[in-house]
Amino acid sequence: MPTIQRRKTTRRRKGPARPLLAAAGLALAVWGGLALLNSREAPPPAAEETTGITLVIDGTAPVIPQVLLDLAERNPETQAFVEHYPGRGDGEIDISGDYVPGEIPHFLQWDQRWGYLPYGGDRPEDMIGLSGCGPTALAMVAVGLTGNLDYHPAAVAEYAAENGYATREDGTAWTLMSQGCAAFGLTAQEVPLWEQSIIDALAQGPIICAVGAGDFTDSGHFFVITAYENGAFRILDPNSISNSERTWTYAELSPQIRAMWVYSAAG
């Protein structure tokens, strides 16, 4: 039986230290997003004090990458995902429990069923869990409108990477939303960036929204807009449960919106 000890490693930071994550596996890093024409969420500016955990097993001390610790620190919802890295990565992906006919399912890019899989590169950060907001958002729309349970985030991410819609350098291209969606039985139409245009488009189907820096990301991100209720929009954020449990006004969203597409199932 290997001897396991935990050793803390620290870096200096301005401001109070945050609670740390005790991890029980090897390590990795991940992020999600987009950047103007393409999309990838950049990591936040380097903090000046973060405490990491070194896992010591029989004298070997692999250090958990700081980007993974940063992920859990800035988004506590991801703690189980980080703790269970690298996951199993085997077996079929079953999303039957997520699908309700007539509804758009909420998939999270850091779901353990697919979050550890590579997306557009071979670095730790090139994983669906942090870089895959684009294919995860498209998977929500594809499954919701077609009922095809094969269109889960891992399948969409694989298609995007193999067909030039995702690269290590640029993240997810907007053309995945406007053109690549056809591979999943969808047609897309660009939506003007006005409140009434969004409301009118929602009468046709769900909308994928590309946003820049703001409430959702430091550089770029994709999420799904599903409804307009009492003067605000309901969204499904592939990187956040809490963002999806509240509504967002147009005044909140509009400074961040970069592009939008409304979807329908191909005839």
Side-chain angles (χ1 to χ4, degrees):
M1 174 84 61
T3 301
I4 300 179
Q5 301 174 326
R6 298 182 186 276
R7 238 184 9 231
K8 291 185 179 179
T9 58
T10 59
R11 285 194 299 162
R12 300 282 309 172
R13 148 192 241 166
K14 296 177 182 177
R18 296 184 178 179
L20 296 181
L21 170 73
L26 296 180
L28 91 93
V30 254
W31 61 55
L34 135 187
L36 207 52
L37 284 183
N38 297 302
S39 166
R40 182 187 297 281
E41 180 181 347
E48 293 184 325
E49 175 184 313
T50 312
T51 305
I53 299 296
T54 299
L55 195 65
V56 181
I57 304 178
D58 286 344
T60 303
V63 178
I64 296 175
Q66 190 63 47
V67 283
L68 187 57
L69 295 175
D70 290 345
L71 168 65
E73 186 176 4
R74 69 178 180 267
N75 184 358
E77 295 174 2
T78 66
Q79 180 167 334
F81 172 74
V82 174
E83 287 181 341
H84 287 91
Y85 174 80
R88 290 202 313 259
D90 55 6
E92 292 187 11
I93 293 176
D94 180 8
I95 59 170
S96 58
D98 301 272
Y99 175 64
V100 176
E103 297 183 9
I104 304 298
H106 186 198
F107 296 141
L108 294 164
Q109 61 195 72
W110 35 265
D111 189 301
Q112 294 179 48
R113 289 172 290 182
W114 49 72
Y116 307 114
L117 298 175
Y119 177 58
D122 56 5
R123 301 169 301 175
E125 56 265 40
D126 298 321
M127 298 188 352
I128 295 174
L130 282 177
S131 296
C133 61
T136 304
L138 186 56
M140 293 187 220
V141 173
V143 171
L145 292 183
T146 70
N148 190 328
L149 303 187
D150 292 330
Y151 295 162
H152 50 70
V156 178
E158 182 178 19
Y159 172 83
E162 291 180 351
N163 289 275
Y165 294 112
T167 68
R168 170 174 170 160
E169 292 78 18
D170 298 321
T172 301
W174 286 6
T175 49
L176 175 65
M177 306 305 168
S178 59
Q179 301 172 17
C181 63
F184 302 96
L186 301 175
T187 59
Q189 180 179 351
E190 194 164 356
V191 178
L193 310 186
W194 306 108
E195 182 172 18
Q196 192 58 50
S197 299
I198 304 172
I199 296 170
D200 294 343
L202 285 170
Q204 304 173 45
I207 294 170
I208 289 181
C209 183
V211 293
D215 293 310
F216 305 94
T217 176
D218 291 330
S219 62
H221 191 52
F222 293 104
F223 57 76
V224 181
I225 302 177
T226 61
Y228 183 72
E229 303 172 353
N230 301 317
F233 296 97
R234 187 161 294 282
I235 74 169
L236 295 176
D237 184 347
N239 195 41
S240 174
I241 297 170
S242 59
N243 285 346
S244 308
E245 291 177 335
R246 53 159 292 188
T247 56
W248 297 79
T249 66
Y250 180 73
E252 291 174 306
L253 295 177
S254 60
Q256 306 171 65
I257 296 174
R258 299 294 176 264
M260 292 181 292
W261 303 268
V262 62
Y263 294 87
S264 58

